[in-house]
Amino acid sequence: MQGITKWAFNNKAGMKIIVLMALVMGVISYWKLPMEFLPEADNPMVTVAAIGPGYDAKSMEKQVTEKLEQSLQFIKGKSSMVSSSGNGYAKIDMGFDSKTDMKEAKAEVERAVNAVQLPERVSAPFVVQFNTSMIPISWVTVGFEENLSEADQERLEKEILSQFKAIEGAGEVTLGGRSMPSVSVIPNNAKLAEKGIPFQALMGVLQGRGTASSVGEKVIDGATGNVNVQASINDMETLGKLPVAPGVKLSDVAEIKFVNDQETISSVDGKNVLMLTVSKKANANAVAVGDEVAATVERLAKELKGIEEAKVLISTADQVVHSVNSMLREVLLGALFATIVILLFMRNFRATIVTIVSIPLSLAITLYLLDLSGVTLNVITLGGVAVAVGRLVDDSIVVIENIYRRLQKESFSLQLIMDATKEVATAITSSTLVTVAVFLPMGLLRGSLQDFLLPFALTVSYSLLASLLVALTVVPLLSAVFLRNTKMKEHEASQWFTKFLTWNLKYKWVPLLVSVLLFVGSVGAYFSMPKGAIDSSNASNLNITLEYPSDTPHGDVVASGRKLEKFLNDRNDVDWVMMMNGNSSDNAKYGDVSSASVVTYMLQMQDDADADKLIAAIKAERPNYKGADLNAGAANILTGGSSTQVVVDITGDDPAQLAKSAEQVIAAIKPIKDVIKVKSNEEEKKSVYTFEIDPAKAKGQNIAMQLQGLLNAVPLGSVTIDGRETTVVLQPSVDPKSEADLNGLMVMGDQGPVPVSSVAKLVKSEESSVFYHKDGKLYVRVTADVEPSQLSIVGAEISKKVTELKAPDGVKYLVGGASKQQSSDFADLGITMLISIGIVYLIMVITFKTIRAPLAILFSLPLAAIGAIVGLLLSGVTPDFTAMFGGLMLIGIVVTNAIVLLDRVKQNEEHMSIRDALIEASATRMRPIIMTAVATISAMLPLVFGTSASGSIVSQSLAIVVIGGLSVATLLTLVIIPCIYELFFFRKSKRQRIEAALEQAA
C-alpha cells in the first residue's frame, strides 16, 4: 500500500484536482440521491384478499377460501399458505422461499386467482405483494361542507383523485370513506298481499327500463343518419311510477327513499372525512412527492368550493426529512467530538486539522459511490454514516500519530513522512479490510434482511475504504505541508503502564483468570436478560383497537366506537384522532380486511405527551366497554404497530380434537408471568341457523334464492339522479327476530306459497366467527399478548409449556409469532457473526503470514462481549435486534486495535525479544489505540442521547453495545492480548529470557 503514498507525493497537482473533484461530486450526489424512508425491499409474501358482504364466516371459508386455496396449492416457490375466513371477508397469506422472484410469484398467483369462479356479491380477489416502496408518503383528509349535494360531492371526489394522481412521482392513490348513495325500495308486505303481488315481482321492476343503444344507420330525408334508442330514469318520482303489475305502481306497494351510506367510516376529530392515501413510484424522491402532496392540498383547499377542510394528516416525507436532519446532526456532532478528542491528545492544532480532513472527504466519496450503486438516502444508509463517522478518523489518527512521534525525535523530511506512513500502512490496511469484511456476509443473507442490511453494509464499507485511501494519500501530503517547521512536544511512554504490563506478563494467570471470570459472568448475565422487541416507545403515534364479538350488531359497534372517539378527542395530550371501521375495495388493495365488529384508531400525541400514561388511561376505560377487547400500543409507520404476540397453531383433521387441544394450550399458557392475555379463534362463536331442505318437497337452490331475496338487500339496477348514477336496492321484505319468525317465512314451493318449515328443518349451531387454514387444512390459533420487554423469556416459557403437553394423535402444536421471528433473526445474525469471524481471521493470517498471531487477536472479541453486556446492564436497555447488530459491528471494530498493536510487535521482533517487543509496542501504540477508541466512542455518543428514527436499525441499544464493548476491549487489549501472544510463543519467549539473563550474568 506504500506505493499509493509514493504516487501521491509524485503527483501533488493531480491529487489537488482529485480531492476537489471528490468534494464537488459528493455535494452533487447528496442533492441528487433519492430520499426515502427505507430502502426498497420485497416482503417474500403474497396476500390474496376478497370481500363478500353478507356472507358468514363458514360460507366464506367453503365458497371462497377453499376454492382459492385449491387454485394456489401448486404455485412455484411457495413455502407456506395461511388463510383466515371471517364474516364478509377472506384472506390468504402465502410465504415464499427467499430465492423466489416476487414479481413473477405475484403474476402467477394473479393468473391462478382469476381462473376461480366465486359466488355473486363476492368481490374479485385482490392480489398484493408488499414492498417498502408501497409505504404511503402521505395520508390526506378532506372534509366537505354539510349542505353539499351528492352530485357535487362525487364531482369533487373525482377532481381531487385526479389532481393527486397527476403529481409527478405519485404511484397508487386510494380514496376511503367515500359516500355510497343509493335508492332503497322498502316493500310493504301488507299491500303486496292485498294486491296479490309476490315479492319476487319487485325484482324485475327495472329490467329493460333503462337503455342507451344504437338501432342502426338509415337514409333519412336524403341524408345518412344514425337511429338510437335511449331510456333513462332521472328521479325517484319516475321510479315510483314504474309498473309492477297491471294497474299497480311501485310506489303503491313499496316506500322509495334516498339513503347515503359510507363505504367505510373514516373519521377525524369526530367528523366524517375522505381519506386519501398517496404512495410514490419506485424511483421517485419521497421528499419531493411529499412536498408536492402538501402543495396540492393547500391549493385544492383554496380553489375548490365545497371543501370545508383539507390537511395532510401524516407524512412519511416529513419523517424522512426529520430522519435525515437528525442523522446529519448526529454525524456533525460525532465529527465535532472526534475533533476535540484528537486536539486534546495531540495538543497540536495543525495535526488535528490534518486528521479531521478525512471526515468530509471520506463522506463525499461515500455519497458518490452510493449514487453509483443506486442506493438511496434513507434512515438505514444515514445510520451507516452515523456509525462510521467515528471510525473515519481511525486510520488518519494512526498515520498522523506515527508521523508526529517520529518528528519528535527526527528532523523533518518528505522521506520521513513516507517512511512513517509505510510503517503503519500494513496495519491500517488490514484493520480496515477486517472491518469491511465483517459486513461482507450480509450479501449472503436472503430476503428482506439482506435488502435492509446491504445498504447499511455498503455505506460503512465505502466510508471505511475511502478513509483508508485518504489516510494513505491526503494525510501524508497535508502533513508535509502543515507539519513543516512545527515544534513537536516530545511524548514519553507511560512508565507506570510499562511496569504494569511487565508485571502482568510475569504473572499471566492473574489477568487471564480475571478475564475468564468476567467473560463467564457477562455471558451468564446476557442469557438471563430478557430480549425485547425493537423499542418504539418514542413514537408519537398510538394504535388503538376496539373489538367486539362478531355477533354484535354493527350499529352498537359504531356507537361504542364514537363514544371512545369522543373520550380520546377530549384529552389534552392528544393532537388528533382518526377512527376507521369497515372493509373497502381500497383497503383490500393493501390486503387489509377485517371484521365489521372491529374499530381501529390512530392518534397523534401532543409533543410533550407521555405515551405510557396515555396508553394506561385508554386501558383503564375497558370496564366501560363490556364484552369488548380494548388495546393500545405505540404505532410504527412501517408496520402499524410493534407486534409482541406469541402464537400457537394447532393443526389436525378432527375439529373436536382441535378445540379440546386449544383449551389445554390456553390453560397451560395463562398462568405464565408477563402473559397479558390469551385467546383463540375457537372462543369467539356466532349462532348459525341452517335450513336443511327436504329434496322430496322442494328444490334447494330455488328455496335458497328466495330466502336470499327475502332476507338480504338485492341490487335491482341503477338510475341517474342529479347527474349521478345511483344504485337501486330492494330491501329485505321481512326482519325475523326469532326462530319462530324464521320458520314462518313464506316461500314458493312446488304447490304454491308455503311456510319454509313445511319443506325444511331449521337447525341452530354455534360456529367460529373466524376459520383458519394452514396449507389448506383447518387449524386453531391460540394467541398470547406478551409484555414487550420480556418477549424472549415468555416466548421460551410458552414453548416449554406447549412442548410438555401431550398432543392427541393426529394433532400437532407449532409455536410462532414475534418470539419465533426474533429467534430466527438472532440466529441469522449469529451465523453472520461466525462467517465474519472466519473472514476476519483469514485476512489476518494473510497479513501476518502466521496462524498463531491472528488467533491471539481474536481473543479481543470475548473482551468486547464483556463490555457490551456490562453497557446494557448499566444502562438498563433491553437487548434487541439492533443490539445484536451492534455486536456484529464490534467484531470489525475491536480487532483493529489488536492488529495495530501486534503489527508493531512483529516489526519489533526483528531486533527484540518477544517480551521486549510486546512491552515497547504496547507503550508506543497505546496512544493511537486509545485515541481511535475514544474518537469512535465520542462520535457515537449522539446516538445514545439522541432519538433514533422509527424503523432504523441504528438505535440507542446499538450505540451502547458498541461503546461498552469498545471501551472494555480497548483497555483489556493492551494487557490481555500481549499475555495471550506470549503464551502462544511461550517456549521461544522463555528461551529468549534465559539467554538474556545468561548474557547479563556474563
Side-chain angles (χ1 to χ4, degrees):
M1 297 301 291
Q2 56 267 27
I4 297 176
T5 308
K6 189 175 181 181
W7 181 89
F9 272 96
N10 292 334
N11 297 274
K12 292 177 185 176
M15 282 300 300
K16 289 177 184 177
I17 294 172
I18 290 171
V19 168
L20 183 63
M21 285 176 63
L23 291 171
V24 171
M25 291 306 297
V27 172
I28 293 172
S29 297
Y30 173 75
W31 293 111
K32 184 182 165 190
L33 277 169
M35 287 187 184
E36 59 183 2
F37 189 58
L38 290 168
E40 186 174 349
D42 273 323
N43 186 5
M45 182 175 286
V46 174
T47 297
V48 180
I51 303 172
Y55 284 86
D56 69 309
K58 190 71 174 176
S59 299
M60 291 298 292
E61 180 204 24
K62 294 296 182 185
Q63 299 181 44
V64 179
T65 307
E66 287 188 357
K67 286 184 178 180
L68 292 172
E69 285 177 336
Q70 287 172 8
S71 70
L72 296 170
Q73 60 182 327
F74 298 115
I75 298 293
K76 286 186 296 184
K78 175 174 67 67
S79 58
S80 66
M81 183 166 65
V82 175
S83 69
S84 56
S85 310
N87 296 317
Y89 73 89
K91 182 180 179 182
I92 301 173
D93 291 319
M94 302 173 64
F96 286 82
D97 297 332
S98 56
K99 299 176 183 177
T100 307
D101 184 323
M102 293 312 300
K103 289 181 176 58
E104 288 184 10
K106 181 187 177 184
E108 189 176 354
V109 169
E110 284 176 335
R111 287 193 295 270
V113 163
N114 291 338
V116 178
Q117 184 70 36
L118 296 178
E120 61 176 339
R121 292 187 290 116
V122 174
S123 70
F126 296 94
V127 179
V128 186
Q129 194 278 308
F130 287 104
N131 186 289
T132 52
S133 63
M134 293 173 66
I135 299 172
I137 294 296
S138 303
W139 285 262
V140 178
T141 59
V142 180
F144 294 121
E145 295 174 356
E146 289 185 8
N147 58 356
L148 198 66
S149 69
E150 295 304 324
D152 287 340
Q153 184 168 327
E154 184 182 33
R155 177 182 56 79
L156 284 174
E157 287 174 2
K158 289 180 179 178
E159 176 66 20
I160 290 167
L161 203 57
S162 65
Q163 290 283 345
F164 280 100
K165 285 184 176 179
I167 293 173
E168 187 178 352
E172 186 79 33
V173 182
T174 60
L175 189 61
R178 277 184 288 200
S179 60
M180 302 290 286
S182 63
V183 175
S184 274
V185 177
I186 306 167
N188 187 318
N189 291 326
K191 289 183 179 180
L192 283 170
E194 180 188 325
K195 303 285 185 181
I197 299 170
F199 170 78
Q200 286 79 4
L202 300 182
M203 294 185 184
V205 70
L206 280 178
Q207 193 169 0
R209 296 287 175 180
T211 185
S213 57
S214 176
V215 175
E217 188 179 74
K218 291 294 177 183
V219 177
I220 308 295
D221 293 334
T224 302
N226 290 326
V227 181
N228 295 336
V229 173
Q230 186 170 343
S232 61
I233 300 167
N234 298 318
D235 53 61
M236 289 196 292
E237 187 179 347
T238 304
L239 181 63
K241 293 177 181 178
L242 297 180
V244 292
V248 181
K249 303 190 299 288
L250 181 60
S251 58
D252 293 337
V253 292
E255 179 189 356
I256 303 168
K257 67 178 184 179
F258 186 86
V259 294
N260 187 18
D261 294 326
Q262 280 187 291
E263 185 182 29
T264 56
I265 294 175
S266 293
S267 171
V268 174
D269 297 334
K271 296 179 181 178
N272 287 341
V273 294
L274 285 178
M275 174 63 69
L276 283 119
T277 307
V278 184
S279 302
K280 72 176 187 69
K281 291 178 181 175
N283 297 320
N285 189 313
V287 176
V289 175
D291 291 342
E292 191 61 33
V293 168
T296 303
V297 169
E298 191 176 342
R299 178 170 53 81
L300 292 179
K302 291 177 181 177
E303 293 179 358
L304 296 182
K305 292 181 180 179
I307 293 180
E308 184 179 21
E309 185 183 26
K311 63 179 179 180
V312 178
L313 202 62
I314 308 174
S315 174
T316 55
D318 291 341
Q319 293 209 7
V320 171
V321 172
H322 172 73
S323 299
V324 170
N325 290 339
S326 64
M327 281 295 184
L328 284 177
R329 183 176 65 249
E330 288 167 3
V331 166
L332 293 173
L333 281 172
L336 175 64
F337 290 164
T339 303
I340 293 170
V341 168
I342 296 165
L343 186 59
L344 289 174
F345 272 89
M346 289 286 190
R347 296 191 293 273
N348 186 296
F349 186 73
R350 291 187 177 186
T352 303
I353 293 294
V354 171
T355 307
I356 63 169
V357 161
S358 63
I359 294 177
L361 199 50
S362 299
L363 289 178
I365 296 170
T366 301
L367 289 170
Y368 177 62
L369 291 174
L370 288 176
D371 188 22
L372 288 180
S373 304
V375 177
T376 59
L377 207 58
N378 52 65
V379 292
I380 303 294
T381 50
L382 284 168
V385 173
V387 167
V389 70
R391 183 69 178 75
L392 293 182
V393 292
D394 282 10
D395 293 341
S396 296
I397 285 174
V398 173
V399 171
I400 196 72
E401 198 279 336
N402 204 46
I403 293 171
Y404 190 87
R405 188 179 55 80
R406 290 279 298 268
L407 285 173
Q408 289 174 344
K409 299 176 181 179
E410 303 173 45
S411 58
F412 178 88
S413 69
L414 292 181
Q415 190 59 46
L416 181 145
I417 301 289
M418 286 192 282
D419 288 345
T421 306
K422 179 182 175 182
E423 254 180 42
V424 294
T426 302
I428 64 173
T429 300
S430 58
S431 64
T432 301
L433 291 178
V434 158
T435 310
V436 171
V438 167
F439 297 98
L440 287 179
M442 292 181 188
L444 303 175
L445 295 171
R446 296 289 183 180
S448 58
L449 201 59
Q450 184 199 50
D451 294 331
F452 279 111
L453 297 185
L454 194 57
F456 184 91
L458 287 175
T459 304
V460 176
S461 299
Y462 289 157
S463 301
L464 297 182
L465 291 172
S467 71
L468 173 63
L469 195 62
V470 171
L472 292 172
T473 55
V474 179
V475 170
L477 281 174
L478 289 178
S479 298
V481 176
F482 280 80
L483 300 185
R484 189 188 295 270
N485 302 323
T486 301
K487 292 183 179 180
M488 304 291 176
K489 294 179 182 178
E490 191 164 347
H491 170 71
E492 295 291 335
S494 174
Q495 294 300 316
W496 72 265
F497 176 73
T498 303
K499 291 177 182 177
F500 179 69
L501 181 58
T502 303
W503 184 89
N504 278 278
L505 288 170
K506 189 175 181 181
Y507 303 100
K508 296 181 187 67
W509 64 271
V510 175
L512 292 177
L513 180 61
V514 170
S515 298
V516 169
L517 290 175
L518 285 173
F519 178 68
V520 171
S522 60
V523 169
Y526 173 78
F527 282 109
S528 66
M529 291 170 73
K531 316 308 183 291
I534 292 181
D535 181 26
S536 58
S537 59
N538 63 336
S540 58
N541 297 93
L542 292 186
N543 269 349
I544 304 162
T545 57
L546 179 67
E547 183 175 358
Y548 276 93
S550 56
D551 58 356
T552 308
H554 187 247
D556 294 348
V557 173
V558 174
S560 294
R562 292 294 186 189
K563 178 183 170 184
L564 180 58
E565 181 186 33
K566 186 177 185 303
F567 165 78
L568 296 170
N569 278 318
D570 289 344
R571 290 189 61 90
N572 295 326
D573 49 1
V574 173
D575 186 10
W576 53 257
V577 179
M578 180 171 68
M579 169 182 158
M580 293 163 289
N581 171 254
N583 287 320
S584 70
S585 56
D586 282 327
N587 288 343
K589 288 178 183 177
Y590 289 94
D592 183 12
V593 288
S594 64
S595 171
S597 61
V598 178
V599 184
T600 59
Y601 305 82
M602 177 175 274
L603 64 82
Q604 173 82 36
M605 296 178 294
Q606 297 287 357
D607 291 339
D608 56 347
D610 188 323
D612 291 332
K613 284 185 179 178
L614 184 53
I615 291 171
I618 293 167
K619 290 180 178 179
E621 287 291 302
R622 284 171 175 167
N624 297 328
Y625 300 89
K626 291 181 180 178
D629 283 341
L630 175 58
N631 289 300
N636 182 299
I637 208 73
L638 174 60
T639 63
S642 54
S643 173
T644 54
Q645 289 185 335
V646 178
V647 299
V648 181
D649 292 337
I650 307 164
T651 60
D653 297 321
D654 186 349
Q657 286 276 36
L658 291 179
K660 185 179 177 182
S661 300
E663 290 174 5
Q664 291 178 345
V665 170
I666 291 171
I669 291 176
K670 263 187 179 178
I672 296 174
K673 186 183 176 184
D674 292 315
V675 169
I676 301 168
K677 183 181 178 183
V678 185
K679 64 178 181 179
S680 83
N681 61 304
E682 282 287 306
E683 288 181 351
E684 196 169 315
K685 302 283 188 178
K686 189 175 185 179
S687 298
V688 177
Y689 299 89
T690 305
F691 284 106
E692 295 182 351
I693 308 293
D694 184 344
K697 295 180 180 179
K699 296 177 181 177
Q701 187 176 7
N702 185 24
I703 299 298
M705 289 178 65
Q706 291 184 59
L707 290 175
Q708 280 181 357
L710 287 170
L711 299 173
N712 295 305
V714 179
L716 299 180
S718 61
V719 296
T720 304
I721 297 177
D722 293 333
R724 181 176 190 175
E725 190 172 311
T726 308
T727 303
V728 179
V729 179
L730 178 63
Q731 297 299 327
S733 64
V734 292
D735 185 16
K737 301 294 185 184
S738 64
E739 289 188 44
D741 291 345
L742 283 172
N743 277 315
L745 294 176
M746 299 298 293
V747 294
M748 291 296 293
D750 294 339
Q751 306 302 321
V754 292
V756 71
S757 58
S758 65
V759 296
K761 178 185 176 183
L762 182 63
V763 178
K764 180 184 176 182
S765 61
E766 296 292 324
E767 295 187 3
S768 298
S769 58
V770 181
F771 291 90
Y772 290 101
H773 287 186
K774 184 184 285 289
D775 296 326
K777 289 186 176 181
L778 186 69
Y779 79 103
V780 176
R781 168 163 287 183
V782 175
T783 305
D785 291 322
V786 175
E787 174 61 36
S789 62
Q790 305 295 316
L791 181 60
S792 64
I793 290 177
V794 179
E797 186 65 21
I798 289 174
S799 295
K800 180 184 174 185
K801 292 286 185 184
V802 171
T803 305
E804 290 173 356
L805 292 174
K806 187 177 180 182
D809 292 338
V811 174
K812 291 183 180 179
Y813 299 141
L814 180 66
V815 180
S819 65
K820 187 79 173 178
Q821 183 61 48
Q822 184 193 53
S823 300
S824 175
D825 288 344
F826 278 29
D828 285 345
L829 271 181
I831 293 170
T832 304
M833 284 182 177
L834 292 175
I835 296 171
S836 297
I837 291 170
I839 295 173
V840 165
Y841 183 65
L842 176 62
I843 291 173
M844 290 190 296
V845 168
I846 293 170
T847 301
F848 290 102
K849 298 179 176 61
T850 177
I851 289 177
R852 283 183 287 182
L855 205 56
I857 292 173
L858 289 184
F859 276 88
S860 59
L861 298 180
L863 307 180
I866 296 170
I869 296 165
V870 168
L872 290 171
L873 287 171
L874 292 176
S875 63
V877 173
T878 303
D880 54 17
F881 177 81
T882 62
M884 285 287 290
F885 192 73
L888 174 62
M889 290 178 54
L890 271 178
I891 295 172
I893 295 174
V894 299
V895 296
T896 59
N897 291 332
I899 289 172
V900 169
L901 173 64
L902 292 192
D903 176 71
R904 179 74 179 185
V905 171
K906 284 295 181 184
Q907 292 177 25
N908 287 344
E909 279 189 56
E910 294 177 6
H911 53 273
M912 292 184 187
S913 66
I914 290 176
R915 180 163 292 188
D916 290 343
L918 287 167
I919 293 170
E920 194 280 338
S922 297
T924 302
R925 291 286 163 88
M926 180 179 72
R927 183 175 154 101
I929 285 173
I930 292 177
M931 278 177 66
T932 55
V934 174
T936 303
I937 290 167
S938 301
M940 295 202 76
L941 286 175
L943 292 176
V944 176
F945 301 107
T947 55
S948 62
S950 176
S952 175
I953 57 172
V954 180
S955 67
Q956 185 187 53
S957 56
L958 179 144
I960 287 170
V961 165
V962 173
I963 289 172
L966 185 56
S967 301
V968 173
T970 299
L971 296 175
L972 293 181
T973 292
L974 293 167
V975 176
I976 303 300
I977 298 304
C979 291
I980 292 172
Y981 184 85
E982 190 177 57
L983 202 60
F984 280 169
F985 297 93
F986 72 96
R987 288 179 182 172
K988 183 179 179 182
S989 180
K990 186 177 181 180
R991 188 173 66 250
Q992 287 175 345
R993 291 198 303 276
I994 292 171
E995 289 174 357
L998 291 173
E999 285 179 13
Q1000 194 173 4

